[in-house]
Amino acid sequence: MKSASLHGLRTVALLIGVISFHSASAAGSLIRDVIWYGSGSEANPVVTDVLLVDGLIAQVGSGLTAPGATEVIDGRGLHMTAALFTARTQLGLDELDLELTTVDSRLGEFGLTGPAFDIQYAFNPASVAVNVNLVEGVVYGVLAPRVGPDLLAGYGAVANFGTGKLLARRTAMFGASGAVVAAKFGGSRAENIGRLRRALSALPGFRARGYVPNPGEYSRADMLALGEMVKERKPLVMHAHRAADIRELLRLAADFDLQLVLSGATEAWQVAGELAAADVAVILDPLENLPLSFEQLGARLDNAALLHAAGVTLAIVVSDLHNTRLLRQHAGNAVAHGLPWPVGLAAITRAPAQIFGLQVGRLQQGSAATFVLWSGDPLEV
């Protein structure tokens, strides 16, 4: 729980700045009396001093001194959190949805590949959408391809929007299972899972040399990409909403020892215990709270709270890429419907990094000095 004094704030949580210090001076910079939300201890923010040296958080504590510091910042009343991290986005891949020449996140209906598609080559750090979201605290993001002609969309990457560089490439395989995908394979969900099961079953006997796929089978490049995912235990991020579809994905993951991550997950609360038992993390938009289709009939506002109560690791995202900057607002809505406040903050900072095996999105001594300063409670609009 947050302290009563923080809950009592009435100031608007305006972004003060996304700050990444890379000081050339050993003296560094000192921020005094800032409200510190250390990663892993978000429930107990403290007022403290923070010393920054050579791009790192060198020291945290009261009454710090830094003789010869290049800069001393008065942090009184300001809230310091880790930089925001969106676990699924197309920032830097898509510019205008209706202008196809600016959409690089997916292949068209006649695309020749699925699993072998690799989104890393399309990232454009100069995208206007990137900077619009960066100035509101979104520094890190998992770039995810959208499903095109196949249920598997291909490999994603992780970007640092502040530096304009990729932190990790071929981070995870992305795909989807549901009505939209089923329409590509004769209209039945059965073929969604069936196609993937057949491909995974064929991997042990697959040999790239001399491989000639039969009609409807994956190409050599696709099989190699799929094999890389399985061998290196890279996450398989599957977008699904219906509880029955989620259960089938859980069975698939168990049968082939896959590192499954669930995305979308409107009805995930119905299988929360099974997800927790299988250690499957969930990426969701808390505002997907209405049944927009028959596979989302179980939509509810406390989905995130119910999943957390069952022990599921959560990452919160915004479905509209152009409004990714609303991450903290969406986390705040989840908190308003029962998700503990510290978990809400973690779901847009360190939890996404944890899901994808990265050491960013953290606020702790020794970590990179990349953080956000806010004028009030960061989850309060």
Side-chain angles (χ1 to χ4, degrees):
M1 296 288 292
K2 292 183 62 188
S3 67
S5 62
L6 295 185
H7 270 311
L9 286 171
R10 291 293 181 268
T11 56
V12 178
L14 297 175
L15 176 71
I16 297 298
V18 181
I19 304 180
S20 182
F21 282 93
H22 300 285
S23 173
S25 168
S29 302
L30 180 64
I31 304 178
R32 291 197 180 279
D33 299 324
V34 72
I35 302 171
W36 161 275
Y37 294 83
S39 295
S41 58
E42 292 92 346
N44 299 296
V46 296
V47 176
T48 187
D49 299 342
V50 181
L51 178 63
L52 314 166
V53 178
D54 292 334
L56 298 176
I57 297 175
Q59 196 172 352
V60 179
S62 298
L64 296 183
T65 59
T70 58
E71 185 176 23
V72 177
I73 299 171
D74 183 359
R76 284 177 295 179
L78 301 182
H79 299 240
M80 179 186 287
T81 71
L84 304 190
F85 192 137
T86 176
R88 183 167 184 156
T89 186
Q90 286 77 44
L91 281 176
L93 301 177
D94 297 353
E95 195 78 43
L96 301 170
D97 292 343
L98 297 180
E99 176 50 61
L100 294 182
T101 60
T102 73
V103 176
D104 290 314
S105 65
R106 65 178 181 271
L107 294 168
E109 289 302 311
F110 301 102
L112 300 178
T113 187
F117 185 49
D118 191 343
I119 207 64
Q120 64 171 299
Y121 308 115
F123 176 53
N124 175 24
S127 166
V128 173
V130 166
N131 285 325
V132 167
N133 288 277
L134 176 64
V135 297
E136 294 207 38
V138 183
V139 177
Y140 303 108
V142 178
L143 308 182
R146 300 179 193 261
V147 168
D150 190 74
L151 73 154
L152 291 181
Y155 275 108
V158 181
N160 180 327
F161 301 122
T163 64
K165 297 179 180 179
L166 294 180
L167 286 176
R169 301 168 187 268
R170 299 176 73 82
T171 309
M173 179 71 69
F174 288 82
S177 180
V180 174
V181 176
K184 304 174 186 294
F185 299 103
S188 174
R189 285 178 171 81
E191 185 59 8
N192 290 357
I193 301 298
R195 176 173 171 79
L196 190 48
R197 277 188 173 275
R198 290 193 298 273
L200 291 168
S201 296
L203 277 177
F206 168 72
R207 299 294 181 271
R209 185 174 183 179
Y211 174 74
V212 179
N214 294 318
E217 292 181 338
Y218 281 132
S219 69
R220 178 169 58 180
D222 288 329
M223 291 297 285
L224 286 169
L226 200 57
E228 176 187 338
M229 179 199 78
V230 174
K231 182 179 179 180
E232 299 184 15
R233 288 193 55 76
K234 294 187 176 183
L236 171 62
V237 185
M238 293 296 287
H239 195 79
H241 289 289
R242 197 171 72 167
D245 295 338
I246 295 171
R247 286 194 174 99
E248 285 301 325
L249 289 170
L250 285 171
R251 292 189 187 99
L252 179 81
D255 289 346
F256 293 95
D257 191 26
L258 305 176
Q259 188 182 342
L260 178 66
V261 176
L262 192 63
S263 173
T266 303
E267 292 190 350
W269 62 272
Q270 297 181 18
V271 293
E274 297 166 61
L275 290 167
D279 195 24
V280 172
V282 173
I283 300 169
L284 59 80
D285 183 339
L287 293 190
E288 286 191 331
N289 62 320
L290 294 174
L292 301 179
S293 68
F294 280 97
E295 58 189 3
Q296 295 176 276
L297 294 177
R300 52 191 290 172
L301 276 167
D302 58 353
N303 186 19
L306 293 173
L307 287 167
H308 168 71
V312 177
T313 299
L314 295 175
I316 287 175
V317 296
V318 179
S319 297
D320 177 7
L321 83 91
H322 296 289
N323 284 313
T324 300
R325 59 193 177 82
L326 300 182
L327 267 177
R328 64 186 186 86
Q329 179 177 334
H330 283 222
N333 272 272
V335 169
H337 289 88
L339 188 69
W341 193 99
V343 180
L345 179 60
I348 56 174
T349 53
R350 62 184 173 89
Q354 173 188 333
I355 291 170
F356 292 96
L358 300 169
Q359 296 299 313
V360 296
R362 297 174 180 273
L363 191 64
Q364 59 193 32
Q365 188 166 310
S367 66
T370 304
F371 53 86
V372 189
L373 293 175
W374 312 87
S375 65
D377 183 334
L379 303 190
E380 176 61 63
V381 299

